[in-house]
Amino acid sequence: MQDPFSNAMAQLDKVAKIKNFDNDIIARLRQPNRDIKVSIPVVMDDGTLKIYEGYRVEYNNVLGPYKGGIRYHASTNISEVKALAFWMSLKCAVIGIPMGGGKGGITVNPKVLSKTELEKLSRGWVQKLSDIIGPRKDVPAPDVNTTGEIMAWMADEYEKITGDKTGAVITGKPIENGGSLGRDTATAQGGFFAFEALKEQLGLNKKCNVAIQGFGNAGANAAEIWQSAGHNIVAVSDSKSGVYNPDGLDVEKLMQFKKDSGAVSGFIQNGVAVKSISNEELLETDCDLLIPAAFENVITEENADKIKARVILELANGPITSAADLILFNKNIVVIPDVLANSGGVAVSYFEWDQNLKNEHWTHDEVFEKLQPMMAESANKVFETAKNSNTDLRMGAFILAIERIEQNL
Ligand code: GLU
């Protein structure tokens, strides 16, 4: 698999060629301000000691405090976290929020830990990094496999260590712990607002057939949101495999099925077993809109040529390699890039942070009334910028973001 950070840097090389940026700004964006590795000892339920490796990468804080989630995954490593932190810097700039880019992680499969072990590990991450993070310095959030409950443990640990009671050190908290209404669905909802803003220009102003890879927070919410807007969800997959029905899947029933059985495969709709497909087949589904909502590097030069979607909206971070981007561009497949498409999550994280610092509580409607224009305006700006530079939307988003960072240096 291509290293995610090399992919991120290949994207940076590409934009540097297209826009003729000053060498200094490109040089600054080539490495993080700092990357920190910590070891986190945890006494397991059986009394043995395990040491986990944790990370925080503070990439760039020109626009504001470092901002970005914490990922728990067995294959998480510092290079992946660095790439994700780089993309966070651009993402915050694309949507014009006063935040920089950071990311964190722990190399762990959280699914094999008990709740007590998971809590100790999460509190341990904060204990090791409490002097690095802070409401005005570096504000983490959820990412793959990290939940509101984990954010609440972390906020509590930070308060114990520092006495800070604002809760603004971390976002994505449960509502009762100072979280914002709308944060749980914000990534998918933001992607939908971006899609709505661009659908006419992209020729998708119709009932679309949609395929979604990933059925976690982003993917499952996207399935619900697109379906309730009248679109047809023809395929979804989780980490194991997928299901395909050209007449449309019943998302609500599928969510219940996944909850009960732990997988989407095996789903029965109206008494008929729905066709099982692999994750690779899902990506190659004939559809109007493909939404990768899982991991990096799933569309590469190996399979880009087989993609049949008209438009791809990246709810995952980094799902398409730089080489695949070129193949898709030549096939006239439009990619709505991660740094725009999934920025609804960090946008509402920013709203949460803002509410915490002002001790305010916005309604669900207030949150989405702020999110919708932010996403629509950013999407339109990205589209215009790409058009003016005769490039794809990813490069349009990169140009917009880098210009904003450069102006604030
Ligand atoms: N992990 C999410 C992302 O990749 C959200 C980050 C945040 O809310 O700070 O955008």
Side-chain angles (χ1 to χ4, degrees), residues 67-69 88 91 103 139-143 171 183 317 342 345-346 349:
K67 185 84 195 81
M88 285 308 304
K91 199 183 293 188
K103 201 84 181 192
V139 184
D143 195 71
T171 59
R183 178 62 186 86
N317 288 306
N342 71 30
V346 72
S349 271

Side-chain angles (χ1 to χ4, degrees), residues 56 67-71 84 88 91-92 102-103 139-144 146 171-172 183 187 315-317 338 342-350:
R56 187 69 183 168
K67 185 84 195 81
I70 307 166
R71 174 171 295 202
L84 292 161
M88 285 308 304
K91 199 183 293 188
C92 293
K103 201 84 181 192
V139 184
D143 195 71
V144 172
T146 45
T171 59
R183 178 62 186 86
T187 305
L315 278 189
N317 288 306
D338 47 8
N342 71 30
S343 61
V346 72
V348 178
S349 271
Y350 161 61

Side-chain angles (χ1 to χ4, degrees), residues 188 210 212 214-215 218-229 231 233 236 251 254-255 291 315:
V210 184
I212 304 175
F215 212 53
N221 282 315
E224 271 197 313
I225 292 167
W226 260 268
Q227 182 161 76
S228 50
H231 301 288
I233 311 301
V236 308
V251 172
L254 182 57
M255 283 174 94
I291 306 183
L315 278 189

Side-chain angles (χ1 to χ4, degrees), residues 239-362:
S239 57
K240 296 168 199 111
S241 61
V243 281
Y244 170 71
N245 181 354
D247 299 325
L249 296 159
D250 183 330
V251 172
E252 210 180 305
K253 292 212 172 94
L254 182 57
M255 283 174 94
Q256 190 56 47
F257 180 82
K258 161 101 184 164
K259 223 174 165 184
D260 298 339
S261 73
V264 294
S265 181
F267 180 50
I268 294 169
Q269 186 165 306
N270 302 328
V272 183
V274 178
K275 186 175 178 220
S276 277
I277 54 170
S278 66
N279 254 300
E280 292 72 44
E281 286 169 320
L282 181 129
L283 295 168
E284 294 161 22
T285 303
D286 194 353
C287 60
D288 300 300
L289 180 66
L290 171 65
I291 306 183
F295 283 103
E296 301 94 79
N297 287 344
V298 294
I299 302 178
T300 64
E301 49 197 324
E302 302 293 311
N303 62 353
D305 209 33
K306 299 184 204 139
I307 304 293
K308 296 178 202 74
R310 292 183 55 190
V311 172
I312 304 176
L313 182 134
E314 296 182 321
L315 278 189
N317 288 306
I320 304 179
T321 65
S322 212
D325 256 346
L326 186 62
I327 300 172
L328 297 170
F329 187 70
N330 290 334
K331 277 169 66 96
N332 276 329
I333 297 175
V334 176
V335 176
I336 307 177
D338 47 8
V339 291
L340 168 67
N342 71 30
S343 61
V346 72
V348 178
S349 271
Y350 161 61
F351 297 159
E352 179 176 332
W353 174 82
D354 200 25
Q355 290 171 79
N356 291 157
L357 289 176
K358 295 176 179 156
N359 196 20
E360 289 179 358
H361 303 277
W362 304 349

